[in-house]
Amino acid sequence: MKPTLSLILFFFQLNLFAQSALVRQVRNYRIDHEHQLLDEFMGLVSIPNIVGDAEGIRQTGKYIMEMMEARGIKASKLEGITPGIPPVIYGEVLVPGAKKTITFYAHYDGQPVNARQWAEGIEPFKSVFLNASLENRGKIIPRPSGDQTINPEWRIYGRSTSDDKAGVFVILTAYEVLKKLGGTPSVNLKFFFEGEEEAGSPHLAEILEKHQDKLQSDLWIICDGPVHQSGLKQVVFGVRGDVNMQVTVLGSKRPLHSGHYGNWAPNPAMNLIKLLASMKDDEGKVLIKGFYDDVIPLTAVEKKAMEAVPSVEDQLKEELAFIKADGDGRSLVELIQLPSLNINGMASANVGKLSANVIPTYATANLDLRLVLGNDAQKQIQKVIEHIKSQEYYVTEKEVTDEERRTYPRIAVVTYGQGYNAQRTRMDLPIAQDVIRAVRSTTGEQVVLMPTLGGSLPLFLFEKYLHTPTITVPIANHDNNQHAENENIRIQNLWNGIETYVGLMKM
Amino acid sequence: MKPTLSLILFFFQLNLFAQSALVRQVRNYRIDHEHQLLDEFMGLVSIPNIVGDAEGIRQTGKYIMEMMEARGIKASKLEGITPGIPPVIYGEVLVPGAKKTITFYAHYDGQPVNARQWAEGIEPFKSVFLNASLENRGKIIPRPSGDQTINPEWRIYGRSTSDDKAGVFVILTAYEVLKKLGGTPSVNLKFFFEGEEEAGSPHLAEILEKHQDKLQSDLWIICDGPVHQSGLKQVVFGVRGDVNMQVTVLGSKRPLHSGHYGNWAPNPAMNLIKLLASMKDDEGKVLIKGFYDDVIPLTAVEKKAMEAVPSVEDQLKEELAFIKADGDGRSLVELIQLPSLNINGMASANVGKLSANVIPTYATANLDLRLVLGNDAQKQIQKVIEHIKSQEYYVTEKEVTDEERRTYPRIAVVTYGQGYNAQRTRMDLPIAQDVIRAVRSTTGEQVVLMPTLGGSLPLFLFEKYLHTPTITVPIANHDNNQHAENENIRIQNLWNGIETYVGLMKM
């Protein structure tokens, strides 16, 4: 029985600070007010907030300011230098005698949507209830009426339900509940809600720089991303960086009949395929020269934390219904500590019913490069471009002229974003230990300590412009379809999130 | 100066039967009536005729029957056995004393259209005039009014302008002009216009079989496809067969965030790419086992004809604006004598503005297999399927269950059409020689004799069910964008086509 005993001891050790009386109070308050809480959340998720849609973003920001004012927080907009950019929605609560200031970050913009790809009856901005996830054969159910018990396993579907309106809602609701219970935060609070995270936060730097003085604090807590796939709460000390590129390979100037010219005219779809196939081996290892150089390895403390992360591979494979993962048998958490190259989308001519017997004129792929500590976004892009050139491609960013088409045997139009680098906060900082303790106080279970999240946020900017560390405390369910069609949030995750953030405000 | 002299002698030899007086009469008649002729053609091309669109196909058939009745040809519909299939529009002209009967074939259905892919101002069924091809910076011009001279270099844009309403129009107009000039055909004429060629003629066999007696003739002349890229008229003795397949590679059951899971979750786009990349080498040679087996080589006569085909590679590369062709330096005409494998379209998640940071759930490619004499469509498909299996894929045609997803490391959903085989008529048949002579009588230039056209028609069926040879005499310009967006016909090709077909009716 020894393994079981040591497991119990292990859990005991992790839960030195078990659930507090405050958490029980928060839970009871929430149970009494959950319809009212959900009404406000659904109001928020019903406003279209696609990144770059100025009007939708404006409306969403307005709603959040109203939420803040209703809580007695004076809300304001932090503009940058560039005119017309989506403002940060900002507010603060100063607590007499507090020795620390914590800034709570979430973003209120959402990923683009292709409504046709969403399941029948589910629209990106209608906040539809399902009695389980689609993958578990969940069915659409009516919005619960006021006297109906809300099953916490139900889900709300819609763009940004998880990423990241849930973050905005949970932060503001944690403060509200704490206040309604007659409590006060133990730290000064600042609220910072960004409006163009999904575009890669192109103006965050200028906003941080411009409002440097106002934004001073001891720590930024980022509410974005999912809890651990095991369902356990997690505290995340770093994020991967991210940069996107688009590669378009050109063929003939006009589309050709695949009978009359097929064997002779170059097929750009096949050429793109050959090019992309040369970038990775069959196990998913990137073959681009120097791709894994520059990586700063984990510290001993981080390595130890990583080894304590529960294994989720079998559970995920069951849930996602596949049996062969990339990465040659290594664990998900281990692989996430490395830079990645992924195809996000690919298109050439038409498939399915619209497919015709043609040789396409071009083929396009959108690539996503994730970066870890040590990588530089633009350097990583250049490695890919050098690889494309090594495959005998002429690479240009501009529209291609006929002259160029008649000069180079292979042409790739490559465009890319600015992207941003990874960030990692040391787990052994005293304030990091405070955060770990606070989150542990809100749960009876293990809290996963994750050196680096797979996803990305431009957290390096907070270090660069404010010299302040960041720690991410996510709340969404891991199977939330973030960034894709059928995004959703499990209601229990909202409830857990409120408890977690109350804990953080009392840390 | 010897090469020039021998060139002249060569042309003289080919033009033993130079343009006849009849051709001059036809030309003069056409010049006097070209507005009227174009009006009828434009009426035809304005009717949507997308294959499978029952109502559009019915309307198109109706218009053609009216064209026939206007020429004094009794038009009827030939149905098959399967109820509700698009009928063949049929008619005949019996000529007292004629010793031969020729059936003229064209089809009145068109390829699918994705209207968004067409150039601005050009709609698939509006028959828009341009003063040159789009590729030559052609601009949209108003439809010419009755007193305006029609420049034969102008083009009419729209689906099926070339493929194959031009065929229907030219056949019926050749007969009309001959009649108006007081002439009579030298052979009995049968007109046979098919309504679902672009779907692979799935019911042609049953129609031919059912109407075997009515359809007896000495030769079928097929009016479909383009003249030679050199601009020269061509007589084509065979066509490639064709069969399409769709390959979908599956990944995770639900879309995944490319940050949180990228490096570990399998990417179906990358897996499809690896699979397709394994099918061809960098020069376009198909690597699938046995792909080039079964091919029946050209006869000595066919080889000689092939060698006399003018070289067009440099002209085409200039026109299409690329410099590297597939096929390791071999000529287009030589490559067309081989089976091919082409990607017609490819898709996975989204590209461009809709692209999001996801790992797609599946990736699809539509493939086109062209076949030459000796290949069997289903056998060729099986070779590809065996190849997919050899890459460790589980192949199924059906919807994939979670059980299957959890059993097989790699899954490909492969569906395919019935397709049809290639056909080739011997050039040394007496009736083939008659056709060559007739076409030569309508031009002062070389007539290209092509053993096999790159494109496909189910011509083997005429041999199988009617024991009748077929010869294709195409009329469209080669740069017609057949099957793709921005399909068009050069007006001069309509005029030349009418002359060619008058020649054939007097052969």
Side-chain angles (χ1 to χ4, degrees):
Chain A
M1 304 304 270
K2 265 186 182 164
T4 313
L5 183 65
S6 69
L7 210 67
I8 291 168
L9 285 171
F10 174 74
F11 272 106
F12 181 73
Q13 194 182 5
L14 287 169
N15 289 288
L16 220 52
F17 307 88
Q19 286 169 268
S20 63
L22 175 61
V23 170
R24 282 194 300 276
Q25 280 179 281
V26 172
R27 190 166 304 167
N28 289 335
Y29 179 91
R30 181 265 298 170
I31 291 169
D32 291 343
H33 298 81
E34 53 190 21
H35 283 279
Q36 189 183 321
L37 297 177
L38 277 190
D39 280 351
E40 191 183 40
F41 180 63
M42 279 150 55
L44 178 60
V45 297
S46 298
I47 308 169
N49 69 331
I50 294 169
V51 60
D53 163 21
E55 179 53 22
I57 292 295
R58 202 186 61 75
Q59 291 288 352
T60 310
K62 185 165 166 272
Y63 189 92
I64 293 169
M65 291 178 84
E66 287 163 6
M67 286 173 73
M68 290 167 79
E69 303 283 353
R71 284 154 175 82
I73 307 163
K74 189 172 151 34
S76 63
K77 292 177 183 172
L78 303 187
E79 315 270 350
I81 296 160
T82 312
I85 59 174
V88 162
I89 307 300
Y90 179 78
E92 51 188 54
V93 173
L94 298 181
V95 179
K99 294 198 175 62
K100 279 184 295 217
T101 302
I102 311 284
T103 310
F104 291 87
Y105 168 101
H107 65 89
Y108 64 93
D109 60 313
Q111 280 271 327
V113 290
N114 186 345
R116 284 178 302 138
Q117 290 169 340
W118 288 58
E120 212 189 312
I122 301 182
E123 289 177 46
F125 297 105
K126 288 281 183 206
S127 53
V128 175
F129 280 74
L130 269 75
N131 58 7
S133 71
L134 276 176
E135 293 73 20
N136 284 325
R137 301 160 195 273
K139 298 282 168 240
I140 295 173
I141 54 173
R143 184 168 164 164
S145 60
D147 54 352
Q148 202 179 347
T149 305
I150 292 170
N151 182 337
E153 292 301 329
W154 288 347
R155 297 189 180 214
I156 302 170
Y157 275 71
R159 172 58 82 232
S160 287
T161 45
S162 267
D163 179 20
D164 186 25
K165 285 176 175 173
V168 175
F169 169 76
V170 157
I171 291 169
L172 292 179
T173 304
Y175 175 68
E176 181 194 8
V177 174
L178 186 57
K179 208 175 150 185
K180 288 274 169 64
L181 290 172
T184 38
S186 61
V187 292
N188 296 315
L189 311 178
K190 295 186 175 179
F191 303 100
F192 184 99
F193 302 126
E194 193 194 348
E196 51 177 359
E197 192 270 341
E198 298 296 3
S201 300
H203 303 100
L204 183 57
E206 63 180 69
I207 293 175
L208 295 183
E209 203 172 9
K210 186 173 167 189
H211 303 282
Q212 233 163 6
D213 294 341
K214 188 191 286 276
L215 295 174
Q216 284 309 312
S217 66
D218 297 284
L219 177 72
W220 284 64
I221 290 181
I222 311 296
C223 188
D224 196 7
V227 299
H228 193 250
Q229 291 95 346
S230 58
L232 297 174
K233 293 189 179 186
Q234 69 179 346
V235 180
V236 181
F237 294 85
V239 286
R240 291 205 277 193
D242 191 24
V243 63
N244 291 96
M245 59 195 303
Q246 181 168 297
V247 180
T248 298
V249 167
L250 303 183
S252 162
K253 218 172 86 174
R254 64 175 171 84
L256 294 170
H257 187 291
S258 60
H260 298 316
Y261 297 94
N263 289 38
W264 180 74
N267 188 316
M270 186 51 92
N271 287 343
L272 177 69
I273 275 172
K274 292 271 177 186
L275 177 60
L276 295 174
S278 73
M279 293 185 185
K280 285 179 106 167
D281 75 7
D282 289 347
E283 294 296 331
K285 190 183 163 193
V286 178
L287 301 171
I288 292 166
K289 203 179 152 197
F291 196 80
Y292 297 104
D293 295 355
D294 316 323
V295 174
I296 296 175
L298 298 185
T299 63
V301 173
E302 289 163 343
K303 240 180 228 159
K304 213 179 137 199
M306 186 180 88
E307 283 158 13
V309 172
S311 164
V312 289
E313 287 73 14
D314 290 346
Q315 169 209 327
L316 283 175
K317 284 180 176 176
E318 174 70 19
E319 180 184 314
L320 303 171
F322 65 78
I323 61 172
K324 180 154 177 18
D326 279 357
D328 223 356
R330 279 182 292 173
S331 68
L332 173 57
V333 62
E334 198 182 339
L335 290 163
I336 278 174
Q337 313 307 318
L338 296 172
S340 75
L341 180 151
N342 249 290
I343 301 172
N344 283 154
M346 190 166 76
S348 187
N350 298 300
V351 298
K353 278 190 182 169
L354 286 178
S355 173
N357 280 332
V358 295
I359 301 174
T361 52
Y362 65 90
T364 298
N366 281 64
L367 304 180
D368 174 43
L369 306 181
R370 299 282 166 171
L371 317 165
V372 298
L373 212 62
N375 288 141
D376 174 74
Q378 291 305 310
K379 193 173 167 194
Q380 206 72 351
I381 289 279
Q382 286 310 317
K383 290 175 195 170
V384 180
I385 290 177
E386 283 312 311
H387 178 85
I388 297 173
K389 287 179 179 167
S390 78
Q391 305 293 303
E392 294 171 17
Y393 274 85
Y394 167 68
V395 174
T396 177
E397 285 182 52
K398 295 179 211 148
E399 204 175 329
V400 175
T401 64
D402 284 4
E403 169 99 25
E404 286 171 312
R405 286 172 177 271
R406 292 186 185 112
T407 306
Y408 302 102
R410 302 209 185 285
I411 301 177
V413 182
V414 178
T415 54
Y416 46 91
Q418 205 186 335
Y420 52 78
N421 295 343
Q423 181 277 342
R424 199 155 72 219
T425 294
R426 291 183 65 99
M427 283 187 191
D428 47 11
L429 293 183
I431 201 158
Q433 292 296 315
D434 290 345
V435 168
I436 295 170
R437 248 192 311 271
V439 177
R440 281 182 179 159
S441 77
T442 69
T443 173
E445 296 174 312
Q446 179 188 354
V447 173
V448 175
L449 306 182
M450 186 65 81
T452 292
L453 195 71
S456 302
L457 283 166
L459 300 188
F460 76 100
L461 292 174
F462 302 99
E463 280 182 355
K464 185 174 170 187
Y465 291 100
L466 306 175
H467 312 290
T468 311
T470 57
I471 291 175
T472 301
V473 183
I475 57 120
N477 42 298
H478 78 282
D479 57 348
N480 66 37
N481 293 341
Q482 192 181 350
H483 288 202
E485 58 272 24
N486 303 323
E487 183 178 345
N488 66 88
I489 188 137
R490 175 173 158 266
I491 292 173
Q492 183 65 51
N493 282 70
L494 292 177
W495 303 156
N496 292 349
I498 294 168
E499 295 173 13
T500 303
Y501 274 77
V502 169
L504 290 166
M505 290 174 189
K506 289 293 282 182
M507 90 183 183
Chain B
M1 304 305 268
K2 264 182 180 166
T4 315
L5 182 66
S6 71
L7 208 67
I8 292 168
L9 285 170
F10 173 76
F11 273 105
F12 181 72
Q13 195 184 4
L14 287 169
N15 289 290
L16 220 51
F17 305 89
Q19 288 170 267
S20 64
L22 176 60
V23 169
R24 282 194 299 276
Q25 282 179 278
V26 171
R27 191 167 304 169
N28 290 335
Y29 179 89
R30 181 264 300 171
I31 290 169
D32 292 342
H33 297 82
E34 50 191 23
H35 283 278
Q36 189 182 321
L37 297 177
L38 277 192
D39 281 351
E40 191 183 39
F41 179 62
M42 278 149 54
L44 179 59
V45 295
S46 299
I47 309 169
N49 70 331
I50 295 169
V51 61
D53 162 21
E55 179 53 22
I57 291 294
R58 201 186 63 75
Q59 292 286 352
T60 310
K62 185 166 167 270
Y63 189 93
I64 293 169
M65 292 179 83
E66 286 163 9
M67 286 173 73
M68 292 167 77
E69 302 283 354
R71 285 153 174 83
I73 307 164
K74 189 173 150 31
S76 63
K77 292 177 184 172
L78 304 188
E79 315 270 351
I81 296 159
T82 312
I85 60 174
V88 162
I89 308 299
Y90 180 78
E92 51 188 53
V93 173
L94 298 180
V95 179
K99 293 202 173 63
K100 279 187 294 221
T101 302
I102 310 285
T103 310
F104 291 88
Y105 168 101
H107 66 89
Y108 64 94
D109 60 315
Q111 280 271 328
V113 291
N114 184 346
R116 284 177 303 139
Q117 290 169 341
W118 289 57
E120 212 190 311
I122 302 181
E123 288 176 46
F125 297 106
K126 290 280 182 203
S127 51
V128 175
F129 278 74
L130 269 75
N131 59 6
S133 71
L134 275 177
E135 292 75 19
N136 285 325
R137 299 160 197 275
K139 298 281 169 236
I140 295 173
I141 53 172
R143 185 168 163 163
S145 59
D147 54 351
Q148 201 179 347
T149 306
I150 292 170
N151 183 336
E153 293 300 331
W154 289 348
R155 297 189 179 213
I156 303 170
Y157 274 72
R159 171 58 82 230
S160 286
T161 45
S162 267
D163 179 21
D164 185 26
K165 285 175 175 174
V168 175
F169 170 76
V170 156
I171 290 168
L172 290 179
T173 304
Y175 174 68
E176 179 193 10
V177 174
L178 186 58
K179 209 175 151 186
K180 289 273 168 63
L181 290 172
T184 39
S186 62
V187 292
N188 296 316
L189 310 178
K190 296 186 175 179
F191 302 100
F192 185 99
F193 301 126
E194 192 194 350
E196 51 177 357
E197 193 269 340
E198 298 295 3
S201 300
H203 303 100
L204 183 57
E206 64 180 70
I207 293 175
L208 296 183
E209 202 172 9
K210 185 173 167 188
H211 303 282
Q212 232 163 8
D213 294 341
K214 186 190 287 274
L215 295 175
Q216 283 309 311
S217 67
D218 297 285
L219 178 72
W220 284 63
I221 290 181
I222 311 295
C223 188
D224 195 8
V227 299
H228 193 249
Q229 291 94 345
S230 59
L232 297 172
K233 293 189 179 186
Q234 70 179 347
V235 180
V236 181
F237 295 86
V239 285
R240 290 205 277 193
D242 192 23
V243 63
N244 290 96
M245 62 196 300
Q246 180 168 297
V247 180
T248 298
V249 167
L250 303 184
S252 162
K253 220 172 83 173
R254 64 176 171 85
L256 294 172
H257 187 291
S258 61
H260 298 316
Y261 297 95
N263 287 37
W264 181 75
N267 188 316
M270 185 51 90
N271 287 342
L272 177 70
I273 275 172
K274 292 272 176 185
L275 177 61
L276 296 173
S278 72
M279 292 185 185
K280 285 178 105 165
D281 74 9
D282 289 347
E283 293 297 331
K285 189 182 163 195
V286 179
L287 300 172
I288 292 167
K289 203 179 152 196
F291 196 81
Y292 297 104
D293 294 354
D294 316 324
V295 173
I296 296 173
L298 297 185
T299 65
V301 173
E302 289 163 342
K303 241 180 226 161
K304 214 179 138 199
M306 186 179 87
E307 283 157 11
V309 172
S311 164
V312 289
E313 287 73 13
D314 289 347
Q315 168 209 326
L316 283 175
K317 284 179 178 178
E318 176 69 18
E319 182 183 313
L320 303 172
F322 63 78
I323 61 172
K324 178 152 179 25
D326 279 356
D328 222 353
R330 280 182 291 177
S331 69
L332 173 57
V333 62
E334 199 182 337
L335 289 164
I336 277 173
Q337 313 307 318
L338 295 173
S340 75
L341 180 150
N342 248 291
I343 300 173
N344 284 154
M346 190 166 74
S348 188
N350 298 299
V351 297
K353 279 189 183 172
L354 286 179
S355 173
N357 279 333
V358 293
I359 302 173
T361 52
Y362 65 91
T364 299
N366 281 65
L367 304 180
D368 174 42
L369 305 182
R370 299 282 165 171
L371 317 165
V372 299
L373 213 61
N375 287 141
D376 175 73
Q378 290 306 309
K379 193 173 167 194
Q380 207 73 350
I381 289 278
Q382 286 310 316
K383 290 176 194 169
V384 181
I385 289 177
E386 283 310 312
H387 178 84
I388 298 173
K389 287 180 180 168
S390 78
Q391 304 294 302
E392 295 172 15
Y393 273 85
Y394 167 68
V395 174
T396 177
E397 286 183 50
K398 295 180 211 148
E399 202 175 331
V400 175
T401 63
D402 284 3
E403 168 101 26
E404 286 170 312
R405 286 173 178 269
R406 293 188 184 112
T407 306
Y408 303 103
R410 301 209 186 283
I411 300 178
V413 182
V414 178
T415 54
Y416 46 91
Q418 205 186 335
Y420 52 77
N421 295 342
Q423 181 276 343
R424 199 153 74 219
T425 295
R426 291 183 64 99
M427 285 188 188
D428 47 10
L429 294 182
I431 201 158
Q433 292 296 314
D434 291 345
V435 169
I436 296 170
R437 250 192 311 273
V439 177
R440 281 184 179 156
S441 77
T442 68
T443 174
E445 297 174 310
Q446 178 189 353
V447 172
V448 174
L449 306 182
M450 186 65 78
T452 293
L453 195 71
S456 302
L457 284 166
L459 300 187
F460 77 99
L461 291 174
F462 301 100
E463 281 184 352
K464 183 171 170 187
Y465 291 101
L466 306 174
H467 312 289
T468 311
T470 57
I471 291 174
T472 301
V473 184
I475 57 120
N477 41 298
H478 77 282
D479 58 347
N480 65 37
N481 292 343
Q482 192 183 348
H483 287 202
E485 57 274 22
N486 303 322
E487 183 176 345
N488 66 88
I489 188 134
R490 175 174 161 265
I491 291 173
Q492 184 63 52
N493 282 70
L494 290 177
W495 303 154
N496 291 350
I498 294 168
E499 293 172 13
T500 303
Y501 274 79
V502 169
L504 290 165
M505 289 174 189
K506 290 293 283 183
M507 90 182 182

